[in-house]
Amino acid sequence: EIRLRAECTDMSALSPWSEVAIFQTESGDCKQQSLPPSFVTASDPTISSLRLSWTAGEQRGNCTFVSWQVMVLAENKAAMEEPQGCKGLTERTETECIATGLQSNVAHNFLIQEVCSDDRLSSPWGRTSMAVSTDVR
């Protein structure tokens, strides 16, 4: 049951309580986000690439997996980008990719999110614990 009324600073202007409203939630239980990916690591640097790996977070609630979204933020850039080599990861068990096309001798932070068919249930972002640099040219 839910009943509502408007509260005003002038107590004489309070609205009456609404009629009782009965409702049922969509599926009877609360929907929860998936947990974020963990142990996000970047390794095996080359001049323009890094190998990324992560552990999938617990898939809770009603998340229907769609893909992994991988983003990179180079220390000398203001905006995140989706790195080449880490797009189209549509298998939940596919928790590794090689980010290519990165700038040489630049530190990069990586963020990874589990994307669900209902975007409200997509996980928070998991991230590398520290920036990792590509090799010098």
Side-chain angles (χ1 to χ4, degrees), residues 60-71:
R60 303 184 309 177
N62 305 86
C63 173
T64 300
F65 179 83
V66 172
S67 66
W68 294 108
Q69 183 171 18
V70 178
M71 301 298 285

Side-chain angles (χ1 to χ4, degrees), residues 47-106:
I47 290 172
S48 63
S49 71
L50 287 161
R51 176 182 303 279
L52 301 178
S53 62
W54 61 92
T55 300
E58 179 185 341
Q59 198 173 26
R60 303 184 309 177
N62 305 86
C63 173
T64 300
F65 179 83
V66 172
S67 66
W68 294 108
Q69 183 171 18
V70 178
M71 301 298 285
V72 61
L73 179 61
E75 68 178 0
N76 61 352
K77 297 212 175 166
M80 292 191 300
E81 300 173 342
E82 191 173 13
Q84 294 297 318
C86 294
K87 297 178 182 182
L89 303 173
T90 58
E91 296 294 327
R92 192 165 194 276
T93 56
E94 188 176 13
T95 57
E96 184 174 290
C97 64
I98 297 176
T100 60
L102 305 175
Q103 287 183 292
S104 173
N105 197 29
V106 171

